[in-house]
Amino acid sequence: MQDKQLSTEELIAQDVGARLPLGIMGWLITALALAWSLFQLWIASPLPFMVGFGVLNDTETRAIHLTFALLLAFLVFPAFRSSPRDRVPLGDIALGLIAAGAASYLFVMYEALALRPGTLTTADLVTACIGIPLLLEAARRALGPALVVIAIVFLIYSLAGPWMPGLLAHRGVSFTALANHQWITTEGVFGIALGVSTSFVFLFVLFGALLERAGAGHYFIQLAFSLLGHLRGGPAKAAVVASGLTGLISGSSIANVVTTGTFTIPMMKKVGFSSEKAGAVEVASSVNGQIMPPVMGAAAFLMVEYVGIPYVDIIKHAFLPAAISYIALLYIVHLEALKLGMQPIGNHQPKPWLRRLTGFAFGAALISGLSMAVYYGLGWLKPALGDYALPGISVLLAATYVALLKIAASNEPLPAEDPDKPLTELPNTRAVLLSGLHFLLPVVVLVWCLMIERLSPGLSAFWGTVMLVIILLTQRPLLNWLRTDGKHDYGTVADGVVDLREGLVAGARNMIGIGIATATAGIIVGAVSQTGVGLVLADLVELLSMGNLLLMLLLTALLSLILGMGLPTTANYIVVSSLLAPVVVTLGQQNGLIVPLIAVHLFVFYFGIMADVTPPVGLASFAAAAVSKGDPIKTGVTAFYYSLRTAALPFLFIFNTDLLLINVDFAHGVLIFIVATIAMLIFAAATQGYFLVKSRWYESVLLLLVAFTLFRPGFWMDMVHDPYRETPPAQLAQTMGEVEAESTLRLRILGEDAVGKPRNFTLLVAVPDGADGEERLANLGLSLYEQDGKTLIDNVAFGSPATTMGLEFDQEILAVKAPTDRWRKEWMWIPGFLLFGAIVWLQRRRSVKAS
């Protein structure tokens, strides 16, 4: 435990800056934050292209973005804990201005730098020598020393390559080349990570800050509490749902914990949860908000660039594991309530199961019907209205907004949060639901733009933010106008302007740490690309893992958790994915397992979010402990225990990519969702040691076995029947002719890596259409020849599918495996469910005896 437990305000300050000076400096910080938000909205909007002014390229926008982040970092983050909080020392002002000047150098000198690439002047070198140390100092203030230490190690490694021992040695880089690569080009500090922060992340963080300021956070908390408060452990279940909903709009797990936790943690304690367990439930649910689509954490937008797939596909692949993880957390809370013998709140009795099921089915049908009406309605409107589609849909959206506000005005306003109020009655679900339906409109606009219009994430967030700005400015006067009894005063347009200003400022302050983190992590990414340490690390990790993929994944997870003790989620993801994601894919190929790149990045991402949970320095756990008055280390350990389900999922979807809905049709996807959810609930019961009654040790082991069987039925089916038959490489064309088109062959290839070392790897080859095997081989773009009993690749057609797969001239085909007719792997679910039935029978018999 820390020597002195930090207060809630101090923990929030670690995210947004501890200084809130008054007077001129306070106004200046507010003005800078406001200007940053307005700048980001400007470059994300179509306005610069419409007016022909302020059109900036990626390098210029990144430079301005980092200029704001550095200047604000020195103004709002004190150098030390003893530094003044009510004023900004002159030294910090000077450092901020110098750092801002170094960052803006790329914007001011862009044309000159573009005309002399790779040629550094004295001014360039001096700027880099000033900028890099000041960036590291800003990172120390905003994020702590861990990321700074790692960045310095990589800088030293870049310079000291020739003097490194054996495997780690490289030719080294000169000081000038290092300065150029890290600060003047877009390979280091101003690289992809900062670009994603500039283009995507800021807009989504701002969207969340404005939505919270509009009142959506309070609405989500009240709605979750009214829906779930009457159940056993209801406040804890409400905390899970509320934190999940808030996580959709919050870029910070710490802010999420404090926002929802100040209300839910005291409520959980009132119904019987200990301080540590109440805090742990809040931490586990808040941190998981970052993995919940459609608005995921900052790292999700980095995946778009690193993996090279649209954000819509990221959402599709991430949805199933995130949903399963949240459902399992609800079940864990339910088991804890059963262990503690909790009773429902108040006199409310749950409806009979049949009425509940009917109500759920009706609600699901209503939501599905409304969704289909909106989807197909707007789908017909667009071609019908032609050039007038945008104003037509805008009018429809405005009419919907006014109608929803009319519904809200006919209900009582939401009560203010009061954790000290006795927990004897719950809010009315219908009244709460109807009081804030208009908060869903910006999310609808955002999701529509992302998934239907297929706009970029940045532009989608811009249009969602535009809708939010309209709501902030108009909801107060419109509610006053629509409420005819005059009982409540919602405020004026001036109050809405204040809300908008505070939301814009809060969004910018929330982004300071993320902007600094992505820029500093760029140093590490730049060092990897400049020194080739990625290849060295691949050899090192392969040596440590002894070529075993599972051990490799365990090492990757361990590295993420260790780095997570000192790095925020985004920086952790950048570091680990840059170093190890390609290594995992390569090692998988060498082990005969084709691991999609998105699966590896989600694996790293999931362990990255554990950064705020992992003891001994998980900041979200300290934030929850500050609210609950519990022990932060015990809170962190319990939260980590609750998060075991999140830690298990990445290993499962690496070996069973069906969980990521990769190449899965809709019906199969629904079946996988149902079975995987059941499997995760069984896993939760096993790890909690409680199912219908307290489990015996062997019952927990059997439950884990059942969960594994449901998650990975192919593991057992492969033992019963090999899924592939091996054919001689020389008969590749014949084998292609025997299988159906669109089926998949597995080729074992012997080739060379990037530095000429021989390596074995496996490729999945989709069989193209063709009359016979020879034509299919030609359509694939391959021609082969035989030499000394070996089958070698003679030629690979340019731009052919074979080129895309990574096949090259002179590679040797070692083995060809074709799919066999066998039972579907899902048949293994039957013995799994039978074993589960036996455990249910055993525990039910004990339960009856106990009663």
Side-chain angles (χ1 to χ4, degrees):
M1 187 172 175
Q2 290 184 343
D3 294 335
K4 180 183 178 183
Q5 185 170 322
L6 299 178
S7 69
T8 307
E9 290 76 14
E10 288 176 312
L11 284 158
I12 299 174
Q14 293 190 32
D15 254 12
V16 300
R19 283 199 187 113
L20 290 169
L22 302 174
I24 295 176
M25 189 52 66
W27 280 103
L28 179 61
I29 291 172
T30 299
L32 283 170
L34 192 60
W36 192 11
S37 290
L38 293 175
F39 165 74
Q40 295 288 160
L41 287 171
W42 172 262
I43 62 171
S45 74
L47 289 175
F49 301 96
M50 293 169 63
V51 301
F53 170 76
V55 179
L56 303 173
N57 60 40
D58 288 346
T59 303
E60 291 172 320
T61 55
R62 292 174 192 180
I64 296 173
H65 181 83
L66 186 58
T67 299
F68 275 113
L70 283 171
L71 180 54
L72 283 168
F74 281 102
L75 293 181
V76 304
F77 287 98
F80 306 102
R81 292 194 66 177
S82 59
S83 300
R85 307 297 176 93
D86 57 346
R87 61 183 179 84
V88 183
L90 289 176
D92 285 354
I93 296 174
L95 288 175
L97 291 173
I98 295 170
S104 61
Y105 185 79
L106 266 72
F107 170 73
V108 176
M109 301 296 293
Y110 176 76
E111 291 187 8
L113 292 171
L115 292 174
R116 48 179 172 82
T119 306
L120 254 67
T121 64
T122 303
D124 298 340
L125 186 60
V126 169
T127 301
C129 291
I130 292 172
I132 293 174
L134 287 180
L135 172 62
L136 294 175
E137 168 59 13
R140 183 194 68 80
R141 294 182 180 208
L143 308 165
L147 183 59
V148 177
V149 170
I150 295 171
I152 290 173
V153 166
F154 274 87
L155 288 173
I156 294 172
Y157 177 75
S158 298
L159 295 171
W163 298 281
M164 288 289 171
L167 188 65
L168 295 175
H170 63 90
R171 60 183 175 80
V173 297
S174 68
F175 186 80
T176 303
L178 176 70
N180 177 62
H181 190 81
Q182 292 288 5
W183 195 264
I184 303 301
T185 71
T186 55
E187 296 295 323
V189 170
F190 296 92
I192 289 176
L194 186 64
V196 171
S197 176
T198 306
S199 304
F200 303 153
V201 179
F202 192 106
L203 270 296
F204 279 86
V205 171
L206 180 61
F207 179 82
L210 291 174
L211 200 53
E212 173 67 31
R213 188 71 192 186
H218 181 44
Y219 171 69
F220 288 149
I221 293 171
Q222 291 291 326
L223 182 60
F225 192 58
S226 69
L227 283 168
L228 301 170
H230 64 273
L231 303 174
R232 288 177 183 264
K237 293 172 182 173
V240 173
V241 174
S243 297
L245 292 170
T246 307
L248 296 179
I249 63 173
S250 172
S252 166
S253 53
I254 297 170
N256 198 351
V257 166
V258 176
T259 301
T260 57
T262 50
F263 180 72
T264 58
I265 289 175
M267 296 301 173
M268 283 188 267
K269 290 173 68 176
K270 286 179 183 178
V271 296
F273 281 89
S274 67
S275 297
E276 287 75 22
K277 286 188 175 181
V281 168
E282 181 60 46
V283 170
S285 49
S286 292
V287 171
N288 265 29
Q290 295 182 67
I291 66 174
M292 195 68 192
V295 184
M296 299 166 69
F301 301 105
L302 289 160
M303 276 186 224
V304 174
E305 300 296 327
Y306 289 160
V307 183
I309 63 176
Y311 188 65
V312 175
D313 289 346
I314 300 281
I315 291 173
K316 183 184 79 172
H317 298 318
F319 171 74
L320 196 61
I324 292 171
S325 183
Y326 260 111
I327 292 169
L329 183 56
L330 279 170
Y331 185 58
I332 288 172
V333 167
H334 178 70
L335 292 176
E336 288 284 6
L338 289 177
K339 286 189 216 175
L340 296 170
M342 294 180 185
Q343 297 300 317
I345 296 173
N347 298 320
H348 184 89
Q349 294 299 318
K351 301 175 184 177
W353 70 269
L354 185 60
R355 287 179 61 194
R356 282 187 163 276
L357 186 62
T358 305
F360 175 78
F362 176 76
L366 179 63
I367 292 171
S368 300
L370 285 172
S371 301
M372 290 177 66
V374 170
Y375 180 87
Y376 290 107
L378 291 180
W380 281 104
L381 275 172
K382 288 185 68 177
L385 295 175
D387 295 338
Y388 299 98
L390 180 60
I393 294 172
S394 300
V395 169
L396 178 63
L397 195 62
T400 305
Y401 171 51
V402 174
L404 293 178
L405 278 181
K406 176 62 178 174
I407 294 172
S410 64
N411 289 275
E412 291 296 309
L414 292 178
E417 291 180 7
D418 185 6
D420 299 321
K421 182 181 177 182
L423 201 57
T424 56
E425 58 179 294
L426 301 173
N428 181 275
T429 302
R430 181 180 179 277
V432 173
L433 176 66
L434 296 179
S435 68
L437 285 173
H438 58 287
F439 293 133
L440 301 179
L441 287 179
V443 181
V444 169
V445 171
L446 174 67
V447 174
W448 175 266
C449 291
L450 272 174
M451 306 191 71
I452 308 300
E453 297 291 341
R454 297 297 180 108
L455 301 179
S456 70
L459 190 54
S460 300
F462 169 77
W463 288 117
T465 303
V466 168
M467 186 68 212
L468 258 176
V469 170
I470 294 170
I471 289 175
L472 278 164
L473 293 176
T474 62
Q475 66 172 344
R476 291 175 181 274
L478 284 176
L479 283 169
N480 280 331
W481 175 59
L482 293 169
R483 189 174 185 98
T484 55
D485 59 12
K487 287 184 179 178
H488 300 282
D489 181 14
Y490 293 92
T492 63
V493 175
D495 294 318
V497 171
V498 172
D499 287 337
L500 175 59
R501 184 196 69 198
E502 294 302 315
L504 292 170
V505 171
R509 288 188 71 124
N510 289 341
M511 267 303 299
I512 298 171
I514 297 175
I516 297 295
T518 52
T520 310
I523 293 176
I524 299 162
V525 176
V528 171
S529 65
Q530 191 173 25
T531 63
V533 68
L535 295 173
V536 173
L537 192 69
D539 291 338
L540 180 62
V541 171
E542 187 173 352
L543 181 67
L544 291 173
S545 64
M546 298 173 288
N548 184 288
L549 179 62
L550 184 59
L551 187 55
M552 166 76 222
L553 292 172
L554 287 169
L555 288 172
T556 304
L558 184 63
L559 177 63
S560 294
L561 290 176
I562 292 171
L563 290 176
M565 293 181 183
L567 298 185
T569 305
T570 305
N572 192 357
Y573 167 76
I574 294 170
V575 173
V576 181
S577 64
S578 300
L579 295 176
L580 293 181
V583 183
V584 174
V585 173
T586 302
L587 195 56
Q589 287 182 324
Q590 293 175 4
N591 280 265
L593 180 70
I594 308 301
V595 184
L597 190 58
I598 178 61
V600 181
H601 278 263
L602 282 172
F603 181 94
V604 173
F605 180 39
Y606 266 62
F607 280 98
I609 70 166
M610 305 294 281
D612 291 327
V613 178
T614 311
V617 288
L619 290 180
S621 300
F622 279 90
V627 177
S628 70
K629 311 303 180 190
D631 185 307
I633 299 299
K634 288 183 180 178
T635 301
V637 170
T638 308
F640 186 78
Y641 186 53
Y642 289 160
S643 299
L644 283 176
R645 75 205 188 287
T646 308
L649 275 169
F651 287 97
L652 295 167
F653 61 58
I654 285 286
F655 292 99
N656 183 7
T657 55
D658 288 353
L659 292 171
L660 299 179
L661 301 179
I662 295 175
N663 299 324
V664 171
D665 58 47
F666 179 77
H668 193 200
V670 171
L671 180 63
I672 289 169
F673 174 72
I674 294 170
V675 175
T677 302
I678 294 171
M680 185 50 74
L681 298 182
I682 294 171
F683 176 82
T687 55
Q688 290 296 306
Y690 195 99
F691 182 39
L692 301 178
V693 293
K694 185 176 180 180
S695 299
R696 291 170 178 163
W697 70 267
Y698 59 85
E699 289 174 334
S700 293
V701 172
L702 291 175
L703 285 171
L704 287 174
L705 180 62
V706 171
F708 177 77
T709 302
L710 297 181
F711 272 123
R712 277 211 67 201
F715 178 83
W716 303 113
M717 186 58 77
D718 289 349
M719 291 184 176
V720 176
H721 193 299
D722 196 319
Y724 291 95
R725 59 182 174 88
E726 190 162 337
T727 61
Q731 298 178 14
L732 176 58
Q734 180 182 336
T735 305
M736 278 196 167
E738 292 171 353
V739 300
E740 295 181 2
E742 306 301 326
S743 60
T744 304
L745 299 180
R746 295 172 72 92
L747 301 186
R748 189 72 177 170
I749 306 293
L750 174 61
E752 295 180 345
D753 61 16
V755 294
K757 293 172 61 178
R759 74 179 184 104
N760 288 331
F761 59 95
T762 300
L763 287 178
L764 288 182
V765 177
V767 177
D769 290 325
D772 55 26
E774 293 293 343
E775 184 178 335
R776 289 179 174 181
L777 194 63
N779 290 340
L780 192 64
L782 272 185
S783 59
L784 310 175
Y785 70 98
E786 297 290 320
Q787 180 179 312
D788 300 330
K790 298 178 180 179
T791 302
L792 303 170
I793 297 176
D794 185 27
N795 186 42
V796 180
F798 178 74
S800 65
T803 304
T804 307
M805 294 174 201
L807 293 171
E808 297 176 358
F809 164 74
D810 230 20
Q811 289 175 336
E812 180 185 353
I813 300 177
L814 300 175
V816 177
K817 289 187 175 184
T820 59
D821 291 329
R822 68 164 187 171
W823 290 354
R824 292 181 64 89
K825 62 184 179 182
E826 286 79 10
W827 283 107
M828 298 307 298
W829 287 342
I830 293 176
F833 279 120
L834 288 175
L835 179 57
F836 179 60
I839 299 168
V840 171
W841 178 75
L842 285 172
Q843 293 213 355
R844 187 175 289 279
R845 191 174 65 169
R846 276 208 318 278
S847 176
V848 170
K849 284 184 179 179
S851 61

